Amino acid sequence: MEKNQYLDMFIDESTEHLQAMNDNLLKLENAPDDHSIIDEIFRSAHTLKGMAATMGYEDLASLTHQMENVLDGIRNGKIAADSHLLDVVFESVDDLEAMVNDIADGGEGKRDVTAVVAKLEKIENGVSVDEVAATVEKTTVPVKESSTGVRFDDFEITVLKQSKEQGFNAYYVNVLLREDVILKAARVFMAFEVLEQIGEVIKSVPSVDQLEEENFDLDFSVTLVTKESVEDVHSRIMKVSEIDRVDIVTIDADTINDQEQPSEGAVEAAEEILEQEDTKDDKPSTSQQKESKGAQGTNKTIRVNIDRLDSLMNLFEELVIDRGRLEQISSDLKSSELTETVEHMSRISGDLQNIILNMRMVPVEQVFNRFPRMVRGIAKDLNKKVHLEIIGAETELDRTVIDEIGDPLVHLLRNSMDHGLEMPAKRLESGKSEEGQVTLKAYHSGNHVFIEVADDGAGINREKVLEKAIKSGVVSEENGATLTDNQVYELLFSSGLSTADKVSDLSGRGVGLDVVKNKIESLGGNVTVTSKPNEGTTFSIQLPLTLSIISVMLVEIQDEIYAVPLSSIIETAIIKKDEIMAAHNQKVIDFRGSVVPLLDLTEFFDVPVTKEDDDFYSIVIVRKGEKMAALVVNSFIGQQEIVLKSLGDYLTNVFAISGATILGNGQVALIIDCNSLIK
C-alpha cells in the first residue's frame, strides 16, 4: 500500500480521536460509572489502533492495544477508574500524541513506551496503581529469559564483580531480530557498535565468529557492562532497524552463580513478565483487529493549502471592486438589460463571497479543546482544585489567527492558576469554595473577537507589582507613586518582571506576559488586564477578524467619504443642535436614557471644512461592548460591501483607521475603527 496517499488523512483522523479521548477521559474522571463515556473512549482507541496497524505503525498500534485492555477492564467493572489510574491512561495518550506528531513531522512514529506499557500491563493484571508506581522501575523493560544457557567462567565473574565496585551496571541483553530481516550479520554488527559506544561487551552467545557467519536463528544475547540505565540501553538498541524486541535483565555480581544465568532474582522477574506475555498472547493480535475505515462517516473533505485560499481571496476582492463599478455604470446608463445582468452577477458573487469567507473561518474550539486536559495536569502539580469553564467555543476566527493564539492562551491560563488562584486552605479562610474557577470566554464584538481569561482568585497585589517593577528598573519610584491601579497592572506585561517569589517549572522567570503582549500585537490586536482584590483578575485579548470583505455604511464627512463597519453600528439618527449637552468638557447627547459622548469626525480627522453647519446633525451610534459613542457626520450614503485593504508599510499605526477601500467610482474611502475611537 502507498502510505503517503493516506498519510494526511491518517494524521487528521488520529488527532481527532486523540482529542476525543482527552475530552472523554476528563468527563470520565467526574463520572467514573458512566458506561457511555467509557464506550466512547474505547471506540476512539479501537479505531486509532486499527488505523495505525493498517498504516504499519506497530508501536502506535501495540500501545493503543494495551490501553484498550485497561479500558475494557474499566468497562467490565474489573478496574476502578480513579484519578491515579487515569493519570497512567493520560500518560499513554501523551505518548500516542508524541508518536502522531512524529509521523506528521516525517518520522516513523517510533517511541520508547516500555515504561507506560509495563504500568498498563500490571494494572490490567490486577495490580493496584500505587503498587505499580512502586515497582515499575524494576520492570520498565520487558524481561524474558533466553533459551540459551549462559555460563560465566571465573574470570568473567571477577570482571563483573570489579565493575560493580567501580559503579558500573551489568546487564544480560537478549536481542530478537524481525522475521523478515534481510542481513542478519549487518544488524548484529550495528547492535554491537551501539553497545560498544556505551560500555564493554564481555560475552556473547552465540560467539562473535558464529554471529558473523550468521550461524544463529533470530536471537542472540550479550553481557554488557556500562554506566547507562536499562532504559537508555534499550532505546539505543531499538534504534537499529529490523530489531523486533530487546529484553534486559540486571545481573547482580554478588549473588551470581557460574552454573546459573541469569541471577535468581532476575529469573523471578523474567518469569513474572513471561506470565504476562503468555496472557497477552492469548488475546487477539493487532492484525486480527484491523478496522475498516469505510464505515467511518460519509463526509467528504479535502485539504487545501492556506496560500491558495489567500490567492482566491485576493482575486475575489478585485471582482468585488469591479462589481461595484459595474453597478455604478448601470445606474448611470439606466439600461434595464445591463441592470438585470449586474443584479444577477451581484447575487452570484454574494454567494461566492460567503463560501470563500467561511472556508477561512475556524471555530476557536480547535484551540480551546486542548486546555481542559492541560488545566487538570497543572492543578495536580500545584495541589490546587480548579474548575475550567469554557464559553463561546463556537466563535469563529480566521485560520491564520487561530494558528497563532494557542501559545498566548497557554501562558494566560498558567498565570491564572499559578498566580491568580489561592491554595484551597487559603480560599476557605477567605470564605470562598476550595475549588477555584477559571473562565475562558470568546465572543464577537464589532469587527473583533474578544477572548477573556478570568479567575476568581486573590486579584493582583498592587504594592507587590509596583515593588517588583521598581526593583527591576521597569519604573522609577517617583513615577510609580503617581500610577493608577490599571497602569500598575499593565506593568505586568513588561519584560523580565515576575511576581513569583521563587522560580518553578511554571513561573518566576519573568517571561510569559511580555511574550503574550508581543504576539497579540503582532496579530493586530491588544491585551488588557483588570483586577479586583479578593475577587479575581481578567485578561482580555482583542483580535481582528481579519475579514477582507466587510459590510459598511458609507458616510460623508465634508467632501470626503468614510466607511463605518455595520457590525459596530447600533443605529443612525438625526438630532437637533439644541439636544447637545456638555458634561466634563465633553459634548454628550441623551440616547434612550443613556448619556453618550458626541464626537465630531470633521474635527477629529481634521477634514477641510467645505459645508456650513445647520440646525440638524446626522449621527451614527456605535458600540464596543457596553460603551457607546455618537459620531457626527454630514450625511449618510448607504450600505455597501467593500474590500478591506491595509494601509501598507508606510502608514502603520494610524489611529482609528483600520484600512481603506476602493469604491465603485474609483475613489478611495478610509474605514473607521470604531473600537479604537470608543477606547
Side-chain angles (χ1 to χ4, degrees), residues 412 415 453 455 459-460 485-493 513 517 526-532 536-541:
L412 291 178
N415 189 74
V453 178
D455 64 69
I460 298 171
D485 285 354
N486 280 342
Q487 287 171 326
V488 171
Y489 302 155
E490 294 289 332
L491 294 175
L492 288 169
F493 295 108
L513 292 184
K517 189 176 177 69
N526 63 64
V527 57
T528 55
V529 58
T530 55
S531 182
K532 288 185 180 177
T537 306
T538 301
F539 287 90
S540 180
I541 297 173

Side-chain angles (χ1 to χ4, degrees), residues 612-670:
E612 292 181 11
D613 284 352
D614 56 21
D615 289 338
F616 292 92
Y617 284 178
S618 301
I619 61 167
V620 181
I621 310 288
V622 293
R623 176 171 61 191
K624 174 198 174 188
E626 299 299 314
K627 298 175 183 174
M628 293 187 289
L631 311 179
V632 178
V633 300
N634 288 89
S635 62
F636 312 123
I637 297 173
Q639 182 182 336
Q640 193 172 324
E641 285 184 334
I642 53 117
V643 177
L644 174 63
K645 296 280 188 185
S646 71
L647 296 175
D649 296 334
Y650 293 107
L651 296 171
T652 54
N653 300 325
V654 177
F655 182 69
I657 299 292
S658 57
T661 187
I662 302 169
L663 302 175
N665 58 5
Q667 188 176 344
V668 173
L670 296 176

Side-chain angles (χ1 to χ4, degrees), residues 87 102 117 261 304 409 471 493 543 568 659:
D87 284 343
D102 181 53
V117 166
Q261 165 62 24
V304 180
L409 289 178
K471 196 174 178 181
F493 295 108
L543 291 163
S568 297

Side-chain angles (χ1 to χ4, degrees), residues 278-551:
D278 292 339
T279 57
K280 204 168 79 174
D281 291 342
D282 293 338
K283 296 189 176 101
S285 69
T286 307
S287 58
Q288 290 170 328
Q289 295 190 13
K290 285 181 185 175
E291 182 165 312
S292 166
K293 283 161 74 174
Q296 298 174 10
T298 54
N299 289 340
K300 293 183 174 65
T301 58
I302 185 168
R303 289 164 63 90
V304 180
N305 191 307
I306 195 84
D307 294 337
R308 291 188 182 181
L309 287 180
D310 286 339
S311 300
L312 182 63
M313 179 63 87
N314 286 331
L315 290 170
F316 186 74
E317 287 169 0
E318 299 303 321
L319 195 62
V320 170
I321 291 169
D322 288 340
R323 180 183 75 189
R325 299 201 67 180
L326 278 172
E327 287 170 349
Q328 185 83 35
I329 292 166
S330 71
S331 68
D332 292 346
L333 293 177
K334 295 184 174 58
S335 163
S336 60
E337 286 185 3
L338 180 59
T339 303
E340 282 175 18
T341 308
V342 170
E343 283 176 355
H344 183 254
M345 192 186 107
S346 296
R347 284 197 299 274
I348 298 295
S349 62
D351 293 340
L352 182 60
Q353 172 186 320
N354 288 332
I355 291 168
I356 293 173
L357 292 181
N358 287 332
M359 280 164 69
R360 292 183 57 89
M361 299 300 278
V362 181
V364 291
E365 187 176 23
Q366 284 201 6
V367 182
F368 285 9
N369 273 348
R370 62 184 167 123
F371 293 139
R373 166 70 203 286
M374 183 194 86
V375 166
R376 175 189 183 271
I378 294 173
K380 284 205 156 200
D381 291 343
L382 295 169
N383 293 321
K384 292 180 180 178
K385 294 183 178 179
V386 182
H387 175 251
L388 175 67
E389 184 180 11
I390 293 178
I391 302 169
E394 71 285 349
T395 307
E396 291 191 330
L397 254 175
D398 191 278
R399 173 61 196 267
T400 47
V401 179
I402 285 282
D403 290 342
E404 299 291 334
I405 61 167
D407 287 343
L409 289 178
V410 168
H411 277 302
L412 291 178
L413 283 168
R414 288 161 71 109
N415 189 74
S416 288
M417 294 173 68
D418 192 16
H419 293 293
L421 298 179
E422 314 95 322
M423 296 300 287
K426 195 170 182 184
R427 287 181 64 85
L428 290 172
E429 283 175 25
S430 307
K432 301 178 183 177
S433 69
E434 62 177 353
E435 184 179 62
Q437 174 91 1
V438 175
T439 306
L440 183 60
K441 179 181 177 184
Y443 59 92
H444 280 125
S445 176
N447 267 347
H448 292 76
V449 167
F450 286 84
I451 299 176
E452 291 181 356
V453 178
D455 64 69
D456 67 344
I460 298 171
N461 184 330
R462 176 199 158 97
E463 300 308 320
K464 190 174 181 181
V465 173
L466 200 52
E467 182 190 330
K468 291 271 185 177
I470 293 167
K471 196 174 178 181
S472 306
V474 173
V475 69
S476 68
E477 203 164 337
E478 296 77 29
N479 290 342
T482 63
L483 296 178
T484 64
D485 285 354
N486 280 342
Q487 287 171 326
V488 171
Y489 302 155
E490 294 289 332
L491 294 175
L492 288 169
F493 295 108
S494 307
S495 179
L497 182 72
S498 173
T499 56
D501 294 320
K502 60 181 180 179
V503 175
S504 68
D505 290 343
L506 275 173
S507 64
R509 300 190 185 278
V511 292
L513 292 184
D514 61 319
V515 174
V516 170
K517 189 176 177 69
N518 293 339
K519 173 62 78 175
I520 298 302
E521 287 180 349
S522 73
L523 295 171
N526 63 64
V527 57
T528 55
V529 58
T530 55
S531 182
K532 288 185 180 177
N534 211 36
E535 287 185 28
T537 306
T538 301
F539 287 90
S540 180
I541 297 173
Q542 177 187 329
L543 291 163
L545 280 175
T546 66
L547 291 184
S548 299
I549 299 170
I550 57 173
S551 295

Side-chain angles (χ1 to χ4, degrees), residues 28-33 38 74 78-86:
L28 184 64
E29 191 167 27
N30 295 322
D33 299 323
I38 300 167
I74 297 172
K78 293 177 183 175
I79 302 170
D82 59 16
S83 180
H84 296 300
L85 173 109
L86 290 178

Side-chain angles (χ1 to χ4, degrees), residues 43-158:
R43 199 172 296 123
S44 295
H46 190 69
T47 308
L48 181 59
K49 183 185 76 172
M51 293 193 308
T54 307
M55 293 290 287
Y57 298 120
E58 294 303 329
D59 285 9
L60 196 62
S62 59
L63 175 56
T64 319
H65 176 65
Q66 195 57 52
M67 239 177 81
E68 249 188 326
N69 293 343
V70 172
L71 292 168
D72 199 33
I74 297 172
R75 187 165 62 171
N76 297 329
K78 293 177 183 175
I79 302 170
D82 59 16
S83 180
H84 296 300
L85 173 109
L86 290 178
D87 284 343
V88 178
V89 181
F90 274 128
E91 193 180 329
S92 311
V93 175
D94 286 343
D95 281 329
L96 293 173
E97 283 180 349
M99 288 179 181
V100 172
N101 290 337
D102 181 53
I103 293 165
D105 293 337
E108 285 297 312
K110 295 282 183 190
R111 187 174 174 85
D112 182 12
V113 293
T114 47
V116 76
V117 166
K119 290 181 188 178
L120 291 169
E121 284 177 346
K122 281 184 173 289
I123 291 166
E124 182 197 345
N125 286 291
V127 181
S128 76
V129 180
D130 293 334
E131 286 179 57
V132 169
T135 61
V136 73
E137 290 181 13
K138 298 175 188 173
T139 54
T140 302
V141 178
V143 180
K144 197 171 181 180
E145 187 180 358
S146 171
S147 58
T148 55
V150 180
R151 296 170 183 269
F152 292 109
D153 59 30
D154 291 340
F155 172 76
E156 288 162 350
I157 292 173
T158 306

Side-chain angles (χ1 to χ4, degrees), residues 549-569:
I549 299 170
I550 57 173
S551 295
V552 297
M553 167 168 276
L554 295 178
V555 296
E556 266 190 328
I557 302 173
Q558 305 302 329
D559 286 339
E560 296 180 8
I561 296 176
Y562 286 77
V564 184
L566 274 186
S567 52
S568 297
I569 298 175

